Amino acid sequence: MVTAYDALMARIVAEHVDAILVGDSVAMAVHGLESTVQATVEMMVLHTAAVRRGAPGPVIVADMPFGSCRQGPYVAAKAAEALMRAGATAVKVEGVRGHEDVIEHLVVGGIPVMGHLGLTPQSVNQIGGYRVQARTQTEGEKLKADARRLEELGAFALVLECVPEALAREVTEERQIPTIGIGAGAGTAGQVLVLTDLLGLDGRFRPRFARRYLEGEALVSEAVGRYAADVRGAAFPAKQETLA
Ligand code: KIV
């Protein structure tokens, strides 16, 4: 699984992955916002629709943005409905405590729900930063209980973000639903990466758990630099690029 936020990238990644995540990371990766807390339902709907236009085939999971699961089942169902109408196959919900009723309501209403435990970026202001979660035995037991609860509520899969590898492996072995890891080691059933990290599009940002498969920022900068130099040096457009 990989994230995508627009039609063009969705078309490209759809050739290779089993599922696309329209993550609320779009707020940071595309909109330049400070955290995913700034993502809105409107933003998620817009990007989900674009991704579906680019990739008509695959499973598309759209993030339920900050706050959308905290105002009760009715508000959450409205948001989820908008995401599904925009082309999502499923929605992803961060955490479980305090909004079990919402998750159950969505599942019973026919909306597939993917869970998300460990580092839940929408809670960054409470957690105090982007760091590994559930390091202690007590926190690990709490996470395992949350994973069990999500499965009971009908979640069809579970993202585990930035948790110790041993814990992710344990959850994967204990649960019947597939786990998808990010910064959770190799023991999960699948992996997800943020596309801009995978492509190295932000040269300043290199999470330790991500692998860059492209030096995207350097390549884009070099290409645009060559174009600008060609225009300034009157080397572009040339005869073959001149229409008549
Ligand atoms: O928003 C996102 O991209 C995510 C992934 C980090 C799992 O939730």
Side-chain angles (χ1 to χ4, degrees):
M1 189 180 208
V2 73
T3 69
Y5 314 111
D6 62 66
L8 187 59
M9 286 296 171
R11 182 174 65 78
I12 297 170
V13 305
E15 285 177 43
H16 304 284
V17 296
D18 295 321
I20 297 176
L21 173 65
V22 187
D24 56 0
S25 50
V26 68
M28 300 166 83
V30 174
H31 293 267
L33 292 163
E34 202 184 319
S35 78
T36 60
V37 170
Q38 274 89 32
T40 62
V41 173
E42 292 70 26
M43 188 188 286
M44 297 310 300
V45 165
L46 190 78
H47 289 282
T48 301
V51 167
R52 179 52 86 199
R53 281 192 292 272
V59 167
I60 293 176
V61 181
D63 259 332
M64 291 284 282
F66 179 73
S68 60
C69 288
R70 297 290 177 181
Q71 297 167 65
Y74 178 77
V75 172
K78 278 276 178 220
E81 189 184 313
L83 292 169
M84 300 296 282
R85 285 193 199 285
T89 321
V91 298
K92 177 162 74 61
V93 174
E94 288 191 10
V96 61
R97 290 174 195 235
H99 52 286
E100 295 186 21
D101 56 338
V102 163
I103 294 170
E104 191 166 30
H105 186 68
L106 297 180
V107 172
V108 170
I111 297 174
V113 173
M114 176 179 275
H116 183 159
L117 297 175
L119 174 58
T120 47
Q122 291 173 15
S123 308
V124 64
N125 293 311
Q126 190 177 50
I127 300 167
Y130 300 96
R131 51 178 74 102
V132 178
Q133 300 295 303
R135 280 181 181 280
T136 66
Q137 168 110 25
T138 315
E139 288 164 352
E141 290 305 322
K142 188 171 163 230
L143 187 138
K144 284 196 280 179
D146 286 354
R148 188 182 322 117
R149 190 69 192 120
L150 274 168
E151 186 175 323
E152 283 165 6
L153 290 168
F156 76 94
L158 171 60
V159 166
L160 293 173
E161 178 166 356
C162 292
V163 298
E165 180 172 36
L167 177 62
R169 209 177 274 281
E170 252 186 276
V171 173
T172 304
E173 280 162 12
E174 281 176 16
R175 304 277 49 96
Q176 301 296 310
I177 54 176
T179 55
I180 301 173
I182 174 163
T188 49
Q191 295 288 330
V192 59
L193 273 185
V194 170
L195 187 61
T196 47
D197 296 343
L198 186 158
L199 298 179
L201 285 175
D202 185 347
R204 303 161 302 180
F205 185 59
R206 187 171 213 143
R208 201 160 64 82
F209 58 77
R211 185 178 295 174
R212 264 191 205 168
Y213 287 86
L214 193 75
E215 290 299 332
E217 176 172 334
L219 287 169
V220 170
S221 177
E222 200 255 343
V224 177
R226 281 198 289 123
Y227 159 70
D230 281 353
V231 172
R232 292 197 177 101
F236 176 84
K239 199 123 196 88
Q240 68 272 19
E241 288 130 355
T242 302
L243 296 181

